[in-house]
Amino acid sequence: MTAPPLSRRQLLRLSALGAVGLLAGCADGRSPQLLSSSGQFPAAWLKRLPSPWQARRLETAAAVIGAATQPRSALLQLGDGWAQTLEPAALQAFEPAAALEGLLSQAEAVSRLFRVGPPVALPWAFGTWLLLLRSRPDLATQPDRGWDLLLDPSLKQQLVLPSSPRVVIELALRQLGLASAEAGALEDSRLPAQLARLRRQALAFDERDGLNLLLAGNAQAAVLPSQVVLPLLRRDLRLVALLPESGSPLWWNLLLRPAGEHPAPPLEWLRESRSPPLLDRLLSGGWVPPLPRERLGASLALWPREQARLLYPEAAVLERCNSLAPLSPAERQRYQRLWDQTAA
Protein backbone atom coordinates (compact mmCIF):
# COMPACT_ATOMS: atom_id res chain seq x y z
CA MET A 1 0.00 0.00 0.00
CA THR A 2 1.44 3.38 -1.03
CA ALA A 3 1.93 5.96 1.76
CA PRO A 4 -0.13 9.14 1.39
CA PRO A 5 1.82 12.21 0.22
CA LEU A 6 3.09 14.57 2.92
CA SER A 7 1.34 17.88 3.39
CA ARG A 8 3.25 21.16 2.99
CA ARG A 9 3.10 21.69 6.78
CA GLN A 10 4.61 18.24 7.42
CA LEU A 11 7.40 18.90 4.90
CA LEU A 12 8.25 22.22 6.55
CA ARG A 13 8.29 20.60 9.98
CA LEU A 14 10.60 17.80 8.84
CA SER A 15 12.92 20.33 7.19
CA ALA A 16 13.10 22.34 10.40
CA LEU A 17 13.86 19.25 12.45
CA GLY A 18 16.56 18.27 9.98
CA ALA A 19 18.15 21.69 10.23
CA VAL A 20 18.18 21.50 14.02
CA GLY A 21 19.78 18.07 13.84
CA LEU A 22 22.39 19.34 11.38
CA LEU A 23 23.25 22.29 13.61
CA ALA A 24 23.50 20.01 16.63
CA GLY A 25 25.81 17.74 14.70
CA CYS A 26 28.03 20.67 13.73
CA ALA A 27 28.18 21.90 17.31
CA ASP A 28 28.93 18.37 18.45
CA GLY A 29 31.81 18.24 15.97
CA ARG A 30 33.43 21.24 17.67
CA SER A 31 32.92 20.13 21.27
CA PRO A 32 36.14 19.55 23.23
CA GLN A 33 36.64 16.00 24.42
CA LEU A 34 38.14 14.37 27.50
CA LEU A 35 39.79 11.11 26.46
CA SER A 36 40.17 8.35 29.05
CA SER A 37 40.98 4.66 28.95
CA SER A 38 38.60 1.96 30.08
CA GLY A 39 38.30 1.64 33.85
CA GLN A 40 40.71 4.48 34.54
CA PHE A 41 38.36 7.38 35.20
CA PRO A 42 35.41 7.48 37.62
CA ALA A 43 32.07 7.38 35.83
CA ALA A 44 30.47 9.51 38.55
CA TRP A 45 32.87 12.35 37.75
CA LEU A 46 32.57 11.98 33.98
CA LYS A 47 28.80 12.33 34.22
CA ARG A 48 29.26 15.80 35.73
CA LEU A 49 31.43 17.06 32.87
CA PRO A 50 29.68 20.29 31.81
CA SER A 51 28.56 21.16 28.29
CA PRO A 52 29.98 21.57 25.70
CA TRP A 53 32.64 19.13 26.92
CA GLN A 54 32.19 15.49 26.00
CA ALA A 55 33.68 12.30 27.40
CA ARG A 56 35.24 9.78 25.05
CA ARG A 57 36.31 6.45 26.50
CA LEU A 58 38.93 4.37 24.68
CA GLU A 59 40.06 0.85 25.40
CA THR A 60 43.68 1.48 26.38
CA ALA A 61 46.10 4.22 27.38
CA ALA A 62 47.95 3.63 24.12
CA ALA A 63 44.73 4.46 22.26
CA VAL A 64 44.42 7.70 24.26
CA ILE A 65 47.94 8.69 23.25
CA GLY A 66 47.19 7.75 19.64
CA ALA A 67 44.15 10.05 19.59
CA ALA A 68 45.84 12.94 21.44
CA THR A 69 46.54 14.95 18.27
CA GLN A 70 42.96 14.83 16.97
CA PRO A 71 41.37 18.30 16.79
CA ARG A 72 38.79 17.75 19.54
CA SER A 73 41.15 16.03 22.00
CA ALA A 74 41.42 18.77 24.61
CA LEU A 75 42.10 16.77 27.80
CA LEU A 76 43.81 13.41 28.32
CA GLN A 77 43.64 10.96 31.23
CA LEU A 78 46.81 8.89 31.63
CA GLY A 79 48.74 7.10 34.32
CA ASP A 80 52.11 8.60 35.20
CA GLY A 81 54.07 5.94 33.34
CA TRP A 82 52.18 6.50 30.10
CA ALA A 83 52.28 10.28 30.48
CA GLN A 84 56.06 10.21 30.72
CA THR A 85 56.25 8.71 27.21
CA LEU A 86 54.86 11.93 25.70
CA GLU A 87 57.37 14.39 24.29
CA PRO A 88 57.39 17.83 25.97
CA ALA A 89 56.22 19.46 22.73
CA ALA A 90 53.09 17.28 22.79
CA LEU A 91 51.76 19.04 25.90
CA GLN A 92 50.98 22.56 27.08
CA ALA A 93 51.01 24.07 30.54
CA PHE A 94 48.08 22.95 32.65
CA GLU A 95 45.47 25.66 33.01
CA PRO A 96 43.71 26.79 35.06
CA ALA A 97 46.70 26.75 37.39
CA ALA A 98 44.34 27.17 40.35
CA ALA A 99 43.40 23.49 39.90
CA LEU A 100 46.87 22.57 41.19
CA GLU A 101 46.60 24.53 44.43
CA GLY A 102 46.60 22.67 47.72
CA LEU A 103 48.04 19.37 46.46
CA LEU A 104 50.53 17.27 48.42
CA SER A 105 54.18 18.19 47.99
CA GLN A 106 54.76 14.80 46.35
CA ALA A 107 52.47 15.88 43.52
CA GLU A 108 54.64 18.83 42.49
CA ALA A 109 57.30 16.88 40.59
CA VAL A 110 54.63 14.62 39.13
CA SER A 111 52.72 17.63 37.76
CA ARG A 112 55.85 18.56 35.79
CA LEU A 113 56.41 14.92 34.76
CA PHE A 114 59.75 15.27 36.60
CA ARG A 115 60.96 17.78 34.02
CA VAL A 116 62.05 21.42 34.26
CA GLY A 117 59.30 23.86 33.44
CA PRO A 118 55.70 24.65 34.31
CA PRO A 119 53.19 22.00 35.41
CA VAL A 120 51.73 20.12 32.46
CA ALA A 121 49.56 17.65 34.39
CA LEU A 122 46.98 17.67 37.14
CA PRO A 123 47.57 14.71 39.49
CA TRP A 124 43.97 13.99 40.47
CA ALA A 125 44.38 10.58 42.13
CA PHE A 126 47.20 8.59 43.69
CA GLY A 127 47.85 5.48 45.75
CA THR A 128 50.18 2.62 46.59
CA TRP A 129 50.69 -1.02 45.65
CA LEU A 130 49.17 -3.46 48.13
CA LEU A 131 49.62 -7.14 48.91
CA LEU A 132 46.21 -8.79 48.53
CA LEU A 133 45.69 -12.20 50.14
CA ARG A 134 42.80 -14.56 49.48
CA SER A 135 41.79 -16.98 52.25
CA ARG A 136 45.22 -16.80 53.93
CA PRO A 137 44.56 -15.70 57.54
CA ASP A 138 47.88 -17.29 58.57
CA LEU A 139 49.79 -14.74 56.44
CA ALA A 140 47.41 -11.85 57.07
CA THR A 141 48.28 -11.99 60.78
CA GLN A 142 51.99 -11.49 60.06
CA PRO A 143 52.16 -7.92 58.74
CA ASP A 144 55.52 -7.36 60.46
CA ARG A 145 57.14 -9.53 57.79
CA GLY A 146 56.44 -6.78 55.29
CA TRP A 147 57.23 -7.51 51.65
CA ASP A 148 59.11 -10.64 52.76
CA LEU A 149 55.69 -12.28 52.87
CA LEU A 150 55.98 -12.54 49.09
CA LEU A 151 58.76 -15.09 49.61
CA ASP A 152 56.76 -17.37 51.89
CA PRO A 153 57.25 -20.96 50.63
CA SER A 154 53.50 -21.54 50.59
CA LEU A 155 53.11 -18.81 47.94
CA LYS A 156 55.45 -20.36 45.37
CA GLN A 157 53.59 -20.34 42.05
CA GLN A 158 50.61 -18.91 43.95
CA LEU A 159 51.60 -15.25 43.60
CA VAL A 160 50.68 -12.68 40.94
CA LEU A 161 53.22 -9.88 40.57
CA PRO A 162 52.91 -6.60 38.61
CA SER A 163 53.57 -6.66 34.89
CA SER A 164 56.06 -3.80 35.30
CA PRO A 165 59.62 -5.09 35.85
CA ARG A 166 60.47 -1.80 37.50
CA VAL A 167 57.79 -2.21 40.17
CA VAL A 168 58.93 -5.79 40.84
CA ILE A 169 62.52 -4.56 41.24
CA GLU A 170 61.27 -1.89 43.66
CA LEU A 171 59.66 -4.61 45.77
CA ALA A 172 62.91 -6.61 45.81
CA LEU A 173 64.80 -3.48 46.92
CA ARG A 174 62.37 -2.98 49.79
CA GLN A 175 62.86 -6.57 50.87
CA LEU A 176 66.53 -5.65 51.26
CA GLY A 177 65.72 -2.46 53.15
CA LEU A 178 66.81 -0.31 50.21
CA ALA A 179 65.13 2.30 48.02
CA SER A 180 65.82 2.94 44.36
CA ALA A 181 66.64 6.57 45.17
CA GLU A 182 69.64 5.50 47.25
CA ALA A 183 73.00 5.80 45.56
CA GLY A 184 74.19 2.43 44.32
CA ALA A 185 70.97 0.61 45.23
CA LEU A 186 70.86 -1.25 41.92
CA GLU A 187 74.52 -2.22 42.32
CA ASP A 188 73.90 -3.88 45.70
CA SER A 189 75.45 -7.34 45.44
CA ARG A 190 72.43 -8.93 47.13
CA LEU A 191 69.88 -7.62 44.67
CA PRO A 192 70.21 -10.11 41.76
CA ALA A 193 69.69 -13.11 44.06
CA GLN A 194 66.81 -11.39 45.85
CA LEU A 195 65.08 -10.50 42.61
CA ALA A 196 65.57 -14.01 41.24
CA ARG A 197 63.97 -15.48 44.37
CA LEU A 198 61.02 -13.14 44.05
CA ARG A 199 60.50 -13.91 40.37
CA ARG A 200 60.53 -17.66 41.01
CA GLN A 201 57.55 -17.18 43.34
CA ALA A 202 55.36 -15.78 40.59
CA LEU A 203 52.57 -17.62 38.86
CA ALA A 204 52.05 -14.62 36.58
CA PHE A 205 53.24 -11.06 36.00
CA ASP A 206 49.94 -9.46 35.11
CA GLU A 207 47.95 -7.42 37.59
CA ARG A 208 45.00 -7.01 35.22
CA ASP A 209 44.21 -10.61 34.27
CA GLY A 210 46.06 -11.94 37.30
CA LEU A 211 43.33 -10.52 39.50
CA ASN A 212 40.98 -13.08 37.98
CA LEU A 213 43.43 -15.83 38.95
CA LEU A 214 43.24 -14.66 42.54
CA LEU A 215 39.47 -14.32 42.68
CA ALA A 216 39.01 -17.73 41.02
CA GLY A 217 41.27 -19.39 43.58
CA ASN A 218 44.11 -20.20 41.16
CA ALA A 219 46.42 -17.84 43.07
CA GLN A 220 46.50 -16.96 46.76
CA ALA A 221 48.22 -13.58 46.68
CA ALA A 222 48.72 -10.65 44.33
CA VAL A 223 50.43 -7.26 44.36
CA LEU A 224 47.93 -4.76 42.95
CA PRO A 225 47.30 -1.00 42.82
CA SER A 226 45.30 0.24 45.79
CA GLN A 227 42.60 1.60 43.49
CA VAL A 228 41.81 -1.96 42.38
CA VAL A 229 42.04 -3.47 45.85
CA LEU A 230 39.99 -1.16 48.07
CA PRO A 231 36.60 -1.62 46.36
CA LEU A 232 37.15 -5.41 46.45
CA LEU A 233 37.67 -5.44 50.22
CA ARG A 234 34.16 -4.13 50.72
CA ARG A 235 32.63 -6.91 48.63
CA ASP A 236 34.68 -10.03 49.34
CA LEU A 237 35.35 -11.06 52.94
CA ARG A 238 37.89 -13.67 51.83
CA LEU A 239 40.31 -10.88 50.94
CA VAL A 240 42.80 -9.11 53.21
CA ALA A 241 45.16 -6.36 52.04
CA LEU A 242 48.46 -5.26 53.57
CA LEU A 243 50.72 -2.26 53.04
CA PRO A 244 54.11 -2.94 54.65
CA GLU A 245 55.63 -0.25 56.85
CA SER A 246 58.43 0.16 54.29
CA GLY A 247 55.90 1.60 51.86
CA SER A 248 55.66 0.96 48.14
CA PRO A 249 56.00 2.75 44.82
CA LEU A 250 53.24 5.28 44.22
CA TRP A 251 50.95 5.27 41.22
CA TRP A 252 49.44 8.50 39.90
CA ASN A 253 46.51 9.25 37.62
CA LEU A 254 46.79 12.47 35.65
CA LEU A 255 44.89 14.89 33.44
CA LEU A 256 46.95 16.56 30.72
CA ARG A 257 46.33 19.18 28.04
CA PRO A 258 47.70 18.27 24.60
CA ALA A 259 49.36 20.99 22.54
CA GLY A 260 47.06 23.00 20.31
CA GLU A 261 44.18 25.47 20.45
CA HIS A 262 41.99 23.92 23.12
CA PRO A 263 39.81 25.46 25.82
CA ALA A 264 40.99 25.10 29.39
CA PRO A 265 39.05 22.50 31.38
CA PRO A 266 36.36 23.94 33.69
CA LEU A 267 37.84 24.81 37.07
CA GLU A 268 34.69 24.16 39.07
CA TRP A 269 34.38 20.68 37.59
CA LEU A 270 38.01 19.94 38.44
CA ARG A 271 37.54 21.11 42.02
CA GLU A 272 34.28 19.21 42.45
CA SER A 273 36.18 15.96 42.96
CA ARG A 274 37.70 17.27 46.20
CA SER A 275 34.49 17.75 48.18
CA PRO A 276 31.52 15.60 49.17
CA PRO A 277 29.36 14.15 47.81
CA LEU A 278 31.53 13.43 44.76
CA LEU A 279 34.63 12.91 46.91
CA ASP A 280 32.86 10.11 48.78
CA ARG A 281 31.95 8.46 45.47
CA LEU A 282 35.56 8.66 44.28
CA LEU A 283 36.94 7.18 47.49
CA SER A 284 34.45 4.31 47.28
CA GLY A 285 36.04 3.45 43.93
CA GLY A 286 39.57 3.67 45.34
CA TRP A 287 40.35 7.05 43.76
CA VAL A 288 42.12 9.30 46.29
CA PRO A 289 42.82 12.98 45.47
CA PRO A 290 46.41 13.89 46.49
CA LEU A 291 45.34 16.35 49.17
CA PRO A 292 46.49 16.70 52.78
CA ARG A 293 44.85 14.12 55.03
CA GLU A 294 42.89 16.74 56.97
CA ARG A 295 41.11 17.75 53.77
CA LEU A 296 39.80 14.18 53.41
CA GLY A 297 39.17 13.47 57.09
CA ALA A 298 35.38 13.39 57.07
CA SER A 299 35.24 11.18 53.98
CA LEU A 300 37.96 8.81 55.24
CA ALA A 301 36.03 8.47 58.51
CA LEU A 302 33.30 6.65 56.57
CA TRP A 303 35.69 3.73 56.05
CA PRO A 304 36.75 1.08 58.59
CA ARG A 305 39.98 2.28 60.18
CA GLU A 306 42.29 -0.37 58.69
CA GLN A 307 40.87 0.14 55.21
CA ALA A 308 41.17 3.92 55.56
CA ARG A 309 44.88 3.49 56.35
CA LEU A 310 45.27 1.51 53.11
CA LEU A 311 43.34 4.11 51.16
CA TYR A 312 45.45 6.95 52.56
CA PRO A 313 48.60 5.70 54.34
CA GLU A 314 49.78 7.16 57.64
CA ALA A 315 52.33 9.96 57.28
CA ALA A 316 55.34 7.81 58.29
CA VAL A 317 54.48 5.15 55.71
CA LEU A 318 53.69 7.69 52.99
CA GLU A 319 57.12 9.26 53.49
CA ARG A 320 58.68 5.90 52.61
CA CYS A 321 56.72 5.67 49.39
CA ASN A 322 58.26 7.00 46.20
CA SER A 323 57.11 8.12 42.78
CA LEU A 324 58.73 6.44 39.79
CA ALA A 325 60.54 9.17 37.89
CA PRO A 326 61.61 8.56 34.28
CA LEU A 327 64.80 6.60 33.81
CA SER A 328 67.77 7.92 31.90
CA PRO A 329 69.00 5.72 29.04
CA ALA A 330 71.85 4.47 31.25
CA GLU A 331 69.47 3.67 34.11
CA ARG A 332 67.11 1.89 31.75
CA GLN A 333 69.96 -0.30 30.58
CA ARG A 334 70.89 -1.16 34.17
CA TYR A 335 67.32 -2.14 34.98
CA GLN A 336 67.10 -4.22 31.80
CA ARG A 337 70.39 -6.01 32.52
CA LEU A 338 69.24 -6.81 36.02
CA TRP A 339 65.91 -8.14 34.77
CA ASP A 340 67.56 -10.28 32.07
CA GLN A 341 70.14 -11.54 34.55
CA THR A 342 67.48 -12.83 36.93
CA ALA A 343 65.23 -14.56 34.42
CA ALA A 344 64.17 -18.02 35.53
Side-chain angles (χ1 to χ4, degrees), residues 279-295:
L279 173 59
D280 298 338
R281 296 283 300 277
L282 265 59
L283 292 182
S284 70
W287 304 110
V288 183
L291 298 169
R293 175 182 290 276
E294 56 269 21
R295 288 281 307 276

Side-chain angles (χ1 to χ4, degrees), residues 15 84 113 118 120 125 164-165 218-219 223 227 285 289 298 319 341:
S15 298
Q84 291 170 16
L113 298 184
V120 293
S164 165
N218 297 314
V223 178
Q227 185 275 320
E319 287 176 2
Q341 178 185 352

Side-chain angles (χ1 to χ4, degrees), residues 204-244:
F205 295 86
D206 187 345
E207 66 271 12
R208 184 173 181 179
D209 294 329
L211 177 59
N212 294 328
L213 294 175
L214 182 76
L215 296 178
N218 297 314
Q220 297 178 18
V223 178
L224 300 167
S226 56
Q227 185 275 320
V228 173
V229 172
L230 268 299
L232 289 174
L233 295 181
R234 291 189 150 189
R235 301 195 301 265
D236 194 331
L237 298 180
R238 300 170 301 174
L239 303 176
V240 175
L242 302 174
L243 174 60

